[in-house]
Amino acid sequence: MPDMTATITASPRRRVGVVVLPGFSLLAEACATEPLAVANRLAGTPLYSLVTLGLDDRPVPSGSHQVLTPDRAIADDDALDLLLVCAPWGESPEAALLVWLGRLAARGQVLAGIGGGAELLASAGLLDGYRATVPWPRFEAVAASHPGIRLSRQLFEIDRDRLTCGGGTAAMDMMMTLIASHHGSELAEKVSAHFVLERVRMADEPQSSAPLAGAPQSLVDGVALMEANIEEPLTTHELAEHLGVSRRQLERLFKKHLSAVPSRYYMGLRLKRARRLLRESDRPAGEIALQTGFSSAAHFSTAYRNHFGLTPREERLG
């Protein structure tokens, strides 16, 4: 995962601000902040200090009509290591908030959009040129409104001084990854165990299969065929034959709905499966290569490095 130490100060205690806006998801806010509080408790030292901010100091109602009272209102003199923005989807943000966020960004503030907060950062122009994700129901609208963002459908994205996630429990996976970056995987695993999580999901896992909702059934079936044939991959021609469409039709569907040609999308599925096996099992890399459809360890290593920026061996050592 990206090294955040270059963008977040190395002070013993990181000061984390949490902006909550009316209609925010209480679940997403808790998933973002509770891991930090638990990390403090398990480490036996205050690694993170949390301050809740609002547009003013009045209680802020969540989407479930429960309220959270900010510690104080936003202020230009906020000295933070990380700012989390928790907001509902598709709302028109206050102009004063966008201006404030712009000032923070101008001085190098690390900003994280939680759920609708990611779209708010986009509205402020603070995700242009970054890899980012937003809640999947808002993907098409944000992609059309903000073409300067390298938008993905992943669970979360960490790109330099911007963090974004789809909201809900994805916020917890993102914060676990951040804790591991700051303080090592051992502490992150202890925090995960505290929440009785089977595993922390990786950033490159999709938010949901729901982005295919409304897509032609042939595309849904095509992706299902790929996922069912990882060890012995089908060619694009074979996929098209199974689906009863032409190769050109299949390629058009993938480009329109998934922004990739079928072969590239398929390769991504295989490599993501390989990454999980490398991280979650002790199987030899050569065996994993065969299980994910690669004819040789060398081909597997080259494809893995081209996709993730490191070799399978480096993935395990990391």
Side-chain angles (χ1 to χ4, degrees), residues 179-195:
I179 291 169
S181 175
H182 290 162
H183 303 291
S185 58
E186 184 177 352
L187 177 60
E189 287 167 5
K190 288 180 180 177
V191 175
S192 175
H194 174 88
F195 289 107

Side-chain angles (χ1 to χ4, degrees), residues 144-174:
S145 302
H146 304 284
I149 303 173
R150 294 159 56 195
L151 209 56
S152 85
R153 298 181 187 272
Q154 293 189 173
L155 202 61
F156 61 90
E157 290 280 4
I158 299 178
D159 185 4
R160 293 163 286 164
D161 52 2
R162 296 291 182 271
L163 296 77
T164 52
C165 72
T169 57
M172 181 172 287
D173 296 289
M174 184 172 77

Side-chain angles (χ1 to χ4, degrees), residues 1 65 69 71 74 127 136 146 161 173 175 182 209 212 215 234 263 288 291:
M1 62 159 282
H65 305 296
T69 303
D71 296 308
I74 59 175
L127 295 180
W136 67 261
H146 304 284
D161 52 2
D173 296 289
M175 300 311 288
H182 290 162
S209 58
L212 291 177
L234 302 171
S263 58
I288 290 174
Q291 289 179 330

Side-chain angles (χ1 to χ4, degrees), residues 131 154 204 263-275 294 299-312 315:
R131 270 192 342 271
Q154 293 189 173
D204 56 10
S263 58
R264 187 175 182 82
Y265 185 84
Y266 205 169
M267 176 66 76
L269 287 179
R270 291 162 56 202
L271 289 169
K272 287 171 186 176
R273 176 76 61 84
R275 191 180 209 186
F294 293 93
H299 180 205
F300 172 52
S301 183
T302 299
Y304 199 95
R305 185 178 64 250
N306 290 341
H307 191 82
F308 294 117
L310 73 172
T311 65
E315 180 77 73

